[in-house]
Amino acid sequence: MKVPLVDLKTQYAAIKNEIDEAISAVLDSQVFISGRFVASFENEFGKFTGAQHVIGVANGTDALTLALRSLDLDNETEVIVPANSFVATSEAVTNAGLKPVFCDVNPKTYLLDLNHVEELITSSTGAIIPVHLYGQMVDMRAVKSISDKYNVAVIEDAAQAHGVRYLGISVGELSNLACYSFYPGKNLGAYGDGGAVTTNEKNLARKIRMMANHGRGAKYDHEFEGVNSRLDSLQAAILSVKLRYLPTWNRQRYRAAAIYHDLIGDIGLPLPTTDIKERHVYHLYVTRVKRRDKIVQAMKQEGIGVGIHYPIAIPFLDAYQTRGFQSIDFPVTYEQMSRLISLPIYPEITEEQIVYVVDTLCRNLIM
Ligand SMILES: *Cc1c(COP(=O)(O)O)cnc(C)c1O
């Protein structure tokens, strides 16, 4: 049996007619940039997230960069980011002319450790970026109480967490801005690159929309220099189709995760947080094992697409070598980066496949 880490082909086969029609409609219209397909998707994504403003952009990294730039922070202002995330989170900070300050993660959730955030806040701190990593939501009420106390902005990195809620709070509800990626493998994925910023602040929305489109107001009336970072019509039309399925797909992910919980619990490995149903949309199903790299190699040989998110935590990447970080700076992140393992999960995964994954894992654990 083969079990890939994600299976986009099965999903496409199930919705092929609708997708192909949506693509044809764009081709027939020859409206590729801006226009009605993008406007419709932005509108629908606003309804889905509850955000008043949605700006489609070229990718999730640009969403973060533009969100940061919209805050007009001074150069080198510090932005707190988790040490365990995809590199784009901190890369966006640097590219916005700001300085990423890394924070260790919580040993159970692998999310930004809110007990450490306050220690990192200085007079130069301008923003915090909680990352809803693996599809699991950071406690935004706790983040908000910190940001209110120190008067710093909050940008949510929701690239892996479309549609997640926690304790009745949605992404974007308690922050200034939320950023999404529509990279193909994400819970809501385009057929190419795509991203979006959502916000309830009209002035930020206006600024980001202009920045993403060459600082343009009216057609050739450029108020300032921006960039070219737009969501295109083909991606928007595809995303509109897929958005209709997203609630079902997230429920299917939850069902798959519940099967994993039972089996993984039986062999005594740590479960992802399961405290309340809504906290997690299971973009990834992550547990921890010893001798991780050997196990990953063995499972791959048996046809299972396991992943590692992430093998080298951001502060320890060559890209940040000049900052001179050491393992003791982020002890939890450092210890976990050699143990984390992501098991295959996607809406269409079958119980049989999950059983096979856990059996294989179990066999390799005791070898
Ligand atoms: C995917 C991802 C991004 C970047 O999104 P792109 O669309 O690939 O630019 C940012 N942050 C996190 C946590 C991600 O997983």
Side-chain angles (χ1 to χ4, degrees):
M1 192 187 299
K2 276 217 177 341
V3 191
L5 184 62
V6 291
D7 183 356
L8 297 175
K9 283 187 182 166
T10 302
Q11 186 171 85
Y12 174 55
I15 57 171
K16 183 175 185 337
N17 288 343
E18 281 172 87
I19 293 281
D20 293 0
E21 263 170 42
I23 291 173
S24 290
V26 176
L27 298 186
D28 288 342
S29 76
Q30 293 288 303
V31 174
F32 294 112
I33 306 292
S34 306
R36 64 189 159 93
F37 297 99
V38 174
S40 296
F41 172 70
E42 287 177 341
N43 189 14
E44 292 151 10
F45 199 62
K47 288 201 179 107
F48 176 80
T49 55
Q52 284 169 33
H53 307 279
V54 176
I55 305 101
V57 297
N59 54 66
T61 310
D62 281 4
L64 287 162
T65 311
L66 293 166
L68 283 158
R69 288 181 51 191
S70 76
L71 297 173
D72 278 332
L73 299 169
D74 291 337
N75 258 5
E76 290 300 306
T77 297
E78 294 173 0
V79 178
I80 297 173
V81 301
N84 183 34
S85 180
F86 180 55
V87 67
T89 310
S90 58
E91 192 181 41
V93 174
T94 308
N95 289 340
L98 310 170
K99 182 180 175 195
V101 171
F102 296 100
C103 180
D104 208 357
V105 298
N106 176 293
K108 282 213 175 101
T109 61
Y110 322 117
L111 301 173
L112 189 66
D113 191 339
L114 298 176
N115 295 321
H116 285 315
V117 169
E118 278 191 75
E119 297 159 20
L120 296 172
I121 293 182
T122 69
S123 58
S124 306
T125 308
I128 305 173
I129 307 185
V131 180
H132 305 310
L133 199 68
Y134 310 147
Q136 181 186 210
M137 192 160 168
V138 177
D139 180 354
M140 288 305 296
R141 295 203 289 205
V143 173
K144 176 134 174 66
S145 70
I146 297 172
S147 67
D148 283 350
K149 184 166 162 193
Y150 296 96
N151 192 26
V152 294
V154 178
I155 298 175
E156 291 171 77
D157 181 341
Q160 303 187 356
H162 315 71
V164 77
R165 287 169 66 78
Y166 182 42
L167 302 173
I169 305 296
S170 320
V171 172
E173 205 174 320
L174 297 183
S175 61
N176 300 95
L177 301 134
C179 298
Y180 292 87
S181 164
F182 304 124
Y183 180 83
K186 302 285 160 96
N187 285 29
L188 178 62
Y191 290 174
D193 277 312
V197 183
T198 70
T199 181
N200 295 324
E201 297 179 38
K202 195 174 167 188
N203 58 330
L204 296 183
R206 177 174 183 274
K207 218 184 295 174
I208 290 169
R209 192 172 289 289
M210 290 179 70
M211 276 193 300
N213 195 18
H214 306 290
R216 175 180 282 169
K219 187 142 191 179
Y220 290 113
D221 177 11
H222 305 270
E223 278 181 36
F224 53 86
E225 288 179 323
V227 295
N228 177 354
S229 180
R230 298 174 297 226
L231 182 68
D232 70 68
S233 299
L234 278 169
Q235 301 308 337
I238 289 163
L239 289 166
S240 284
V241 172
K242 294 184 76 176
L243 181 59
R244 296 200 284 273
Y245 290 94
L246 183 58
T248 307
W249 288 337
N250 278 348
R251 274 197 299 278
Q252 289 173 324
R253 285 176 184 275
Y254 187 77
R255 204 172 309 136
I259 301 171
Y260 268 126
H261 295 338
D262 278 348
L263 300 171
I264 294 285
D266 281 350
I267 58 175
L269 294 180
L271 299 182
T273 38
T274 51
D275 53 346
I276 72 167
K277 180 170 176 166
E278 283 187 320
R279 187 176 190 175
H280 210 320
V281 289
Y282 296 100
H283 172 60
L284 294 167
Y285 192 94
V286 178
T287 183
R288 291 195 306 275
V289 291
K290 292 183 186 146
R291 303 168 46 248
R292 192 263 322 272
D293 294 342
K294 277 212 160 65
I295 290 171
V296 166
Q297 205 186 358
M299 289 181 77
K300 282 189 173 162
Q301 268 164 13
E302 298 198 49
I304 297 174
V306 285
I308 301 172
H309 300 91
Y310 293 89
I312 305 174
I314 308 177
F316 307 117
L317 291 168
D318 282 347
Y320 296 90
Q321 209 175 28
T322 57
R323 302 271 301 263
F325 293 118
Q326 300 189 342
S327 53
I328 48 158
D329 296 328
F330 313 100
V332 177
T333 301
Y334 187 78
E335 195 201 310
Q336 292 187 342
M337 73 186 204
S338 60
R339 301 222 169 142
L340 296 172
I341 181 168
S342 308
L343 305 179
I345 194 162
Y346 44 89
E348 301 79 9
I349 195 169
T350 64
E351 180 160 4
E352 213 187 348
Q353 287 176 308
I354 295 172
V355 169
Y356 177 66
V357 170
V358 180
D359 275 354
T360 313
L361 173 60
C362 193
R363 256 188 290 115
N364 283 290
L365 278 180
I366 52 183
M367 264 169 38

